[in-house]
């Protein structure tokens, strides 16, 4: 089955075509085309993502990326096609909010024949609504023009599937994990512990009460003067600090910075990261001169605090629910220290551990296509006009 995946929930415009097949217990995934445009450079100068600028950039890039993706997949066929006035009008209506895109999509459909795609999986939410609408309306338009079933897919479910996708010779493979499973989802907008008693059954059993982990990384980065997105920057500095400390093992000094581990001993599975960020803000304000070395030390102590809390709560969740599998997902799962400590945790508890390859940790459309494939098999396709983007969509 050929699935088109579309992701525009935040600052990545991503489109891919995947050939996905169920062979016995396995799901075999071949990537035919994969295009991604990151808006990081656009947002970096402002220190964060501006929803309306994200929307504009998605609208500019989505069609060229789609076109490129079809070419890459060998699904692009230039043929002059007559479109009825009714089809043109209806397409323009669907893309009313992205007017310039509407004209271009109509032109495209007049010049390219219907590609052989069996279903379109598009991110419905959660995310930035203006950004989500671009992907959703674009998906609706091509679904309508070429009569392809549409599958609205939850972005967080996508992150879970990114964790389950294991690299194989032909691309990726998914073997259904042993249940129950606990997923730790850590991204720019979410920090959640999710219990699955069976595949695609989700119950959020713990979440952040304030900032998401990725948000905390980005805010702390800004506090110590690092560019957006802060996660990878903090991670690099923290790693360097660990290496330096390792090299200087002889003169072990006392820890200079001590940041809180918020809610680590609370009885529930919830998180809180805004206190940790504030504590760093106050500490930094008292430092007369910020040096590279201090930045490095703070990054490391912050990362250690985050890792300790995440590991502790995940351990509690696994034990509480007798989970046999741990799945890590979300942009922050690209963090090396977090991957390492959670792998050690899974190992010590004797549970299987699934983690996305680094490039599939952050937002991408492969994971959306794969999650959509599973939705399609569970008879969840949707092709109504009433489909809406939902910034707060829950699992
Ligand atoms: O999942 P994602 O790409 O977008 C959302 O759905 O939010 O996650 C983006 C978040 C950002 O906050 C970014 O700073 C963080 O993931 N991130 C990292 C790392 N790479 C990306 N955080 C810590 N360490 C990293 N290596
Ligand atoms: Zn994400």
């Amino acid at each position: 089955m050929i699935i088109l995946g579309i992701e525009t929930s935040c600052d990545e415009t991503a489109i891919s075509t995947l050939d996905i097949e169920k062979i016995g217990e396995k799901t075999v995934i071949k990537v035919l085309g994969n295009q991604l445009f990151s808006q990081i450079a656009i947002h970096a100068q402002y220190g964060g993502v501006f929803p309306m600028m994200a929307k504009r950039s998605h609208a500019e890039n989505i069609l060229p990326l789609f076109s490129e993706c079809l070419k890459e997949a060998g699904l692009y066929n230039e043929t002059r096609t007559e479109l009825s006035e009714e089809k043109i009008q209806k397409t323009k209506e669907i893309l009313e909010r992205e007017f310039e895109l509407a004209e271009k999509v109509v032109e495209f459909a007049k010049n390219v024949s219907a590609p052989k795609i069996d279903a379109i999986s598009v991110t419905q939410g959660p995310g930035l609504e203006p950004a989500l609408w671009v992907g959703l309306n674009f998906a609706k338009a091509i679904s309508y023009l070429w009569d392809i079933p549409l599958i609205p897919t939850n972005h967080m479910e996508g992150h879970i599937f990114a964790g389950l996708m294991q690299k194989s010779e032909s691309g990726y493979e998914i073997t259904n994990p042993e249940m129950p499973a606990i997923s730790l989802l850590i991204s720019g907008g979410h920090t959640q512990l999710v219990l699955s008693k069976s595949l695609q059954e989700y119950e959020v059993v713990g979440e952040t009460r304030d900032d998401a982990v990725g948000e905390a990384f980005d805010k702390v980065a800004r506090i110590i003067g690092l560019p957006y997105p802060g996660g990878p920057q903090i991670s690099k500095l923290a790693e360097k600090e660990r290496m330096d400390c390792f090299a200087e093992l002889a003169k072990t000094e006392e820890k200079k910075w001590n940041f809180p581990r918020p809610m680590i001993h609370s009885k529930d599975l919830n998180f809180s990261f805004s206190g940790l960020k504030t504590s760093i803000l106050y500490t930094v304000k008292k430092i007369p001169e910020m040096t590279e070395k201090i930045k490095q030390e703070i990054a490391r102590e912050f990362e250690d605090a985050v890792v300790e809390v995440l590991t502790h709560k995940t351990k509690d969740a696994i034990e509480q629910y007798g989970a046999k599998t741990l799945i890590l997902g979300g942009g922050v799962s690209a963090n090396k220290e977090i991957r390492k400590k959670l792998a050690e945790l899974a190992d010590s508890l004797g549970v299987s551990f699934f983690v996305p390859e680094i490039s599939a940790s952050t937002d991408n459309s492969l994971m959306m296509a794969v999650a959509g494939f599973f939705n399609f098999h569970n008879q969840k396709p949707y092709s109504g006009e009433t489909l809406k983007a939902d910034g707060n969509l829950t699992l």
Side-chain angles (χ1 to χ4, degrees), residues 2 17 32-33 66-77 114-116:
I2 296 188
T17 31
L32 304 178
F66 175 59
S67 174
E68 226 16 71
C69 180
L70 290 183
K71 284 178 188 159
E72 198 187 342
L75 297 169
Y76 182 96
N77 280 313
K116 288 199 168 38

PDB file of all heavy atoms in Angstrom, residues 2 17 32-33 66-77 114-116:
ATOM      1  N   ILE A   2       0.600   2.193  -0.871  1.00  0.00           N
ATOM      2  CA  ILE A   2       1.418   3.412  -0.893  1.00  0.00           C
ATOM      3  C   ILE A   2       0.717   4.519  -0.117  1.00  0.00           C
ATOM      4  O   ILE A   2      -0.414   4.892  -0.410  1.00  0.00           O
ATOM      5  CB  ILE A   2       1.742   3.833  -2.341  1.00  0.00           C
ATOM      6  CG1 ILE A   2       2.596   2.722  -2.972  1.00  0.00           C
ATOM      7  CG2 ILE A   2       2.473   5.166  -2.358  1.00  0.00           C
ATOM      8  CD1 ILE A   2       3.168   3.036  -4.302  1.00  0.00           C
ATOM      9  N   THR A  17       6.428   9.541   0.725  1.00  0.00           N
ATOM     10  CA  THR A  17       5.614   8.428   0.205  1.00  0.00           C
ATOM     11  C   THR A  17       6.302   7.146   0.611  1.00  0.00           C
ATOM     12  O   THR A  17       7.493   6.964   0.367  1.00  0.00           O
ATOM     13  CB  THR A  17       5.500   8.442  -1.335  1.00  0.00           C
ATOM     14  OG1 THR A  17       6.685   8.988  -1.873  1.00  0.00           O
ATOM     15  CG2 THR A  17       4.318   9.219  -1.801  1.00  0.00           C
ATOM     16  N   LEU A  32       9.859   5.569  -0.379  1.00  0.00           N
ATOM     17  CA  LEU A  32       9.973   5.848  -1.811  1.00  0.00           C
ATOM     18  C   LEU A  32      10.427   7.288  -2.040  1.00  0.00           C
ATOM     19  O   LEU A  32      11.203   7.572  -2.944  1.00  0.00           O
ATOM     20  CB  LEU A  32       8.624   5.619  -2.500  1.00  0.00           C
ATOM     21  CG  LEU A  32       7.983   4.237  -2.321  1.00  0.00           C
ATOM     22  CD1 LEU A  32       6.642   4.184  -3.027  1.00  0.00           C
ATOM     23  CD2 LEU A  32       8.902   3.144  -2.855  1.00  0.00           C
ATOM     24  N   GLY A  33       9.918   8.180  -1.214  1.00  0.00           N
ATOM     25  CA  GLY A  33      10.292   9.587  -1.333  1.00  0.00           C
ATOM     26  C   GLY A  33      10.167  10.243   0.026  1.00  0.00           C
ATOM     27  O   GLY A  33       9.244   9.920   0.782  1.00  0.00           O
ATOM     28  N   PHE A  66       5.969  18.389  -2.182  1.00  0.00           N
ATOM     29  CA  PHE A  66       5.112  17.303  -2.644  1.00  0.00           C
ATOM     30  C   PHE A  66       5.554  16.857  -4.043  1.00  0.00           C
ATOM     31  O   PHE A  66       5.720  15.673  -4.331  1.00  0.00           O
ATOM     32  CB  PHE A  66       3.656  17.780  -2.651  1.00  0.00           C
ATOM     33  CG  PHE A  66       2.680  16.800  -3.230  1.00  0.00           C
ATOM     34  CD1 PHE A  66       2.535  15.535  -2.696  1.00  0.00           C
ATOM     35  CD2 PHE A  66       1.893  17.154  -4.323  1.00  0.00           C
ATOM     36  CE1 PHE A  66       1.622  14.616  -3.233  1.00  0.00           C
ATOM     37  CE2 PHE A  66       0.980  16.257  -4.866  1.00  0.00           C
ATOM     38  CZ  PHE A  66       0.843  14.987  -4.321  1.00  0.00           C
ATOM     39  N   SER A  67       5.771  17.852  -4.896  1.00  0.00           N
ATOM     40  CA  SER A  67       6.178  17.584  -6.260  1.00  0.00           C
ATOM     41  C   SER A  67       7.505  16.815  -6.284  1.00  0.00           C
ATOM     42  O   SER A  67       7.665  15.804  -6.980  1.00  0.00           O
ATOM     43  CB  SER A  67       6.302  18.933  -6.981  1.00  0.00           C
ATOM     44  OG  SER A  67       6.811  18.769  -8.247  1.00  0.00           O
ATOM     45  N   GLU A  68       8.462  17.285  -5.478  1.00  0.00           N
ATOM     46  CA  GLU A  68       9.776  16.648  -5.383  1.00  0.00           C
ATOM     47  C   GLU A  68       9.646  15.216  -4.866  1.00  0.00           C
ATOM     48  O   GLU A  68      10.294  14.296  -5.343  1.00  0.00           O
ATOM     49  CB  GLU A  68      10.620  17.472  -4.394  1.00  0.00           C
ATOM     50  CG  GLU A  68      12.026  17.827  -4.777  1.00  0.00           C
ATOM     51  CD  GLU A  68      12.411  17.695  -6.227  1.00  0.00           C
ATOM     52  OE1 GLU A  68      11.936  18.518  -7.036  1.00  0.00           O
ATOM     53  OE2 GLU A  68      13.195  16.769  -6.573  1.00  0.00           O
ATOM     54  N   CYS A  69       8.765  15.056  -3.892  1.00  0.00           N
ATOM     55  CA  CYS A  69       8.563  13.750  -3.263  1.00  0.00           C
ATOM     56  C   CYS A  69       7.998  12.754  -4.283  1.00  0.00           C
ATOM     57  O   CYS A  69       8.419  11.595  -4.335  1.00  0.00           O
ATOM     58  CB  CYS A  69       7.615  13.935  -2.076  1.00  0.00           C
ATOM     59  SG  CYS A  69       7.259  12.430  -1.204  1.00  0.00           S
ATOM     60  N   LEU A  70       7.057  13.224  -5.115  1.00  0.00           N
ATOM     61  CA  LEU A  70       6.487  12.346  -6.150  1.00  0.00           C
ATOM     62  C   LEU A  70       7.563  11.958  -7.164  1.00  0.00           C
ATOM     63  O   LEU A  70       7.654  10.806  -7.590  1.00  0.00           O
ATOM     64  CB  LEU A  70       5.337  13.036  -6.876  1.00  0.00           C
ATOM     65  CG  LEU A  70       4.038  13.263  -6.092  1.00  0.00           C
ATOM     66  CD1 LEU A  70       2.988  13.889  -7.003  1.00  0.00           C
ATOM     67  CD2 LEU A  70       3.502  11.966  -5.497  1.00  0.00           C
ATOM     68  N   LYS A  71       8.402  12.947  -7.538  1.00  0.00           N
ATOM     69  CA  LYS A  71       9.470  12.664  -8.516  1.00  0.00           C
ATOM     70  C   LYS A  71      10.423  11.620  -7.951  1.00  0.00           C
ATOM     71  O   LYS A  71      10.787  10.664  -8.624  1.00  0.00           O
ATOM     72  CB  LYS A  71      10.226  13.950  -8.857  1.00  0.00           C
ATOM     73  CG  LYS A  71       9.434  14.849  -9.785  1.00  0.00           C
ATOM     74  CD  LYS A  71      10.160  16.147 -10.078  1.00  0.00           C
ATOM     75  CE  LYS A  71       9.231  17.085 -10.837  1.00  0.00           C
ATOM     76  NZ  LYS A  71       9.639  18.490 -10.750  1.00  0.00           N
ATOM     77  N   GLU A  72      10.810  11.838  -6.696  1.00  0.00           N
ATOM     78  CA  GLU A  72      11.742  10.919  -6.039  1.00  0.00           C
ATOM     79  C   GLU A  72      11.164   9.487  -6.009  1.00  0.00           C
ATOM     80  O   GLU A  72      11.888   8.509  -6.170  1.00  0.00           O
ATOM     81  CB  GLU A  72      11.960  11.428  -4.610  1.00  0.00           C
ATOM     82  CG  GLU A  72      13.178  10.887  -3.921  1.00  0.00           C
ATOM     83  CD  GLU A  72      13.231  11.315  -2.450  1.00  0.00           C
ATOM     84  OE1 GLU A  72      12.541  12.291  -2.052  1.00  0.00           O
ATOM     85  OE2 GLU A  72      13.940  10.634  -1.699  1.00  0.00           O
ATOM     86  N   ALA A  73       9.852   9.413  -5.822  1.00  0.00           N
ATOM     87  CA  ALA A  73       9.195   8.104  -5.693  1.00  0.00           C
ATOM     88  C   ALA A  73       8.834   7.501  -7.049  1.00  0.00           C
ATOM     89  O   ALA A  73       8.317   6.384  -7.120  1.00  0.00           O
ATOM     90  CB  ALA A  73       7.937   8.258  -4.842  1.00  0.00           C
ATOM     91  N   GLY A  74       9.077   8.250  -8.126  1.00  0.00           N
ATOM     92  CA  GLY A  74       8.696   7.772  -9.452  1.00  0.00           C
ATOM     93  C   GLY A  74       7.189   7.784  -9.658  1.00  0.00           C
ATOM     94  O   GLY A  74       6.645   7.009 -10.432  1.00  0.00           O
ATOM     95  N   LEU A  75       6.497   8.685  -8.971  1.00  0.00           N
ATOM     96  CA  LEU A  75       5.030   8.737  -9.080  1.00  0.00           C
ATOM     97  C   LEU A  75       4.551  10.007  -9.782  1.00  0.00           C
ATOM     98  O   LEU A  75       3.370  10.331  -9.776  1.00  0.00           O
ATOM     99  CB  LEU A  75       4.402   8.687  -7.670  1.00  0.00           C
ATOM    100  CG  LEU A  75       4.644   7.411  -6.856  1.00  0.00           C
ATOM    101  CD1 LEU A  75       4.200   7.597  -5.415  1.00  0.00           C
ATOM    102  CD2 LEU A  75       3.890   6.242  -7.488  1.00  0.00           C
ATOM    103  N   TYR A  76       5.531  10.726 -10.360  1.00  0.00           N
ATOM    104  CA  TYR A  76       5.194  12.005 -10.985  1.00  0.00           C
ATOM    105  C   TYR A  76       5.041  11.812 -12.492  1.00  0.00           C
ATOM    106  O   TYR A  76       5.978  11.419 -13.167  1.00  0.00           O
ATOM    107  CB  TYR A  76       6.320  12.999 -10.688  1.00  0.00           C
ATOM    108  CG  TYR A  76       6.110  14.388 -11.213  1.00  0.00           C
ATOM    109  CD1 TYR A  76       5.590  15.383 -10.406  1.00  0.00           C
ATOM    110  CD2 TYR A  76       6.495  14.725 -12.522  1.00  0.00           C
ATOM    111  CE1 TYR A  76       5.430  16.682 -10.877  1.00  0.00           C
ATOM    112  CE2 TYR A  76       6.321  16.013 -13.003  1.00  0.00           C
ATOM    113  CZ  TYR A  76       5.798  16.988 -12.169  1.00  0.00           C
ATOM    114  OH  TYR A  76       5.632  18.256 -12.625  1.00  0.00           O
ATOM    115  N   ASN A  77       3.838  12.074 -12.971  1.00  0.00           N
ATOM    116  CA  ASN A  77       3.612  11.928 -14.407  1.00  0.00           C
ATOM    117  C   ASN A  77       2.987  13.186 -14.973  1.00  0.00           C
ATOM    118  O   ASN A  77       1.850  13.515 -14.653  1.00  0.00           O
ATOM    119  CB  ASN A  77       2.656  10.762 -14.686  1.00  0.00           C
ATOM    120  CG  ASN A  77       3.396   9.457 -14.612  1.00  0.00           C
ATOM    121  OD1 ASN A  77       4.473   9.323 -15.180  1.00  0.00           O
ATOM    122  ND2 ASN A  77       2.838   8.520 -13.868  1.00  0.00           N
ATOM    123  N   ALA A 114      -3.102  11.898 -11.750  1.00  0.00           N
ATOM    124  CA  ALA A 114      -3.307  11.392 -10.387  1.00  0.00           C
ATOM    125  C   ALA A 114      -2.224  10.384 -10.023  1.00  0.00           C
ATOM    126  O   ALA A 114      -2.073   9.371 -10.704  1.00  0.00           O
ATOM    127  CB  ALA A 114      -4.678  10.744 -10.281  1.00  0.00           C
ATOM    128  N   PRO A 115      -1.442  10.657  -8.979  1.00  0.00           N
ATOM    129  CA  PRO A 115      -0.394   9.701  -8.612  1.00  0.00           C
ATOM    130  C   PRO A 115      -0.986   8.459  -7.963  1.00  0.00           C
ATOM    131  O   PRO A 115      -2.061   8.510  -7.360  1.00  0.00           O
ATOM    132  CB  PRO A 115       0.462  10.478  -7.609  1.00  0.00           C
ATOM    133  CG  PRO A 115      -0.417  11.549  -7.077  1.00  0.00           C
ATOM    134  CD  PRO A 115      -1.472  11.829  -8.103  1.00  0.00           C
ATOM    135  N   LYS A 116      -0.274   7.332  -8.095  1.00  0.00           N
ATOM    136  CA  LYS A 116      -0.771   6.085  -7.512  1.00  0.00           C
ATOM    137  C   LYS A 116      -0.482   6.061  -6.026  1.00  0.00           C
ATOM    138  O   LYS A 116       0.527   5.521  -5.574  1.00  0.00           O
ATOM    139  CB  LYS A 116      -0.107   4.895  -8.200  1.00  0.00           C
ATOM    140  CG  LYS A 116      -0.622   4.687  -9.607  1.00  0.00           C
ATOM    141  CD  LYS A 116      -0.321   3.288 -10.115  1.00  0.00           C
ATOM    142  CE  LYS A 116      -1.081   2.966 -11.385  1.00  0.00           C
ATOM    143  NZ  LYS A 116      -1.220   4.070 -12.351  1.00  0.00           N
TER     144      LYS A 116
END
